[in-house]
Amino acid sequence: MVSSKNKYASQFVNMILGKVHMCKHYSELKNYPISITKECMRYQNHVASAIKPTIFETPFIGKNAVRVQIEHALKEREQLSEEIHKLEKMQS
């Protein structure tokens, strides 16, 4: 669920997500034309499917989005540094 203190942001979110219903359990999905669960199971056009985790693992909106993006970037940087170190050892 999305909320905002900015009235323009709220109006934009309502325009984009206004038809989407949030369901507590996947068994409720078919009760609405467009619906989604917290676990990212969605129902649209008479098809239920899971959203790939790679799509939602990095949040782009929300109060913690920037913090999570920074954490992901730092982990990726650490992994790349280790890989560079291994390659430099192999080269020597």
Side-chain angles (χ1 to χ4, degrees):
M1 297 181 58
V2 181
S3 62
S4 175
K5 293 178 183 176
N6 183 309
K7 73 176 187 175
Y8 300 111
S10 293
Q11 289 173 354
F12 179 74
V13 168
N14 287 336
M15 180 181 72
I16 300 296
L17 298 175
K19 296 178 183 178
V20 180
H21 291 269
M22 181 73 171
C23 298
K24 292 184 179 181
H25 193 263
Y26 69 89
S27 62
E28 301 172 11
L29 289 173
K30 291 186 178 182
N31 296 338
Y32 307 98
I34 302 172
S35 54
I36 193 165
T37 65
K38 195 173 190 177
E39 294 80 23
C40 293
M41 282 294 295
R42 68 178 175 163
Y43 181 77
Q44 185 175 7
N45 297 327
H46 305 286
V47 176
S49 61
I51 299 173
K52 294 179 186 176
T54 55
I55 293 174
F56 62 84
E57 69 183 8
T58 302
F60 294 98
I61 60 172
K63 52 185 163 183
N64 296 324
V66 173
R67 181 184 53 78
V68 173
Q69 287 179 19
I70 290 171
E71 288 174 3
H72 285 208
L74 290 174
K75 286 178 186 176
E76 184 179 2
R77 179 181 172 196
E78 185 178 317
Q79 290 172 347
L80 291 172
S81 293
E82 289 175 8
E83 189 174 334
I84 289 170
H85 185 68
K86 287 178 185 177
L87 292 171
E88 285 175 344
K89 276 188 173 183
M90 289 174 58
Q91 191 177 22
S92 319

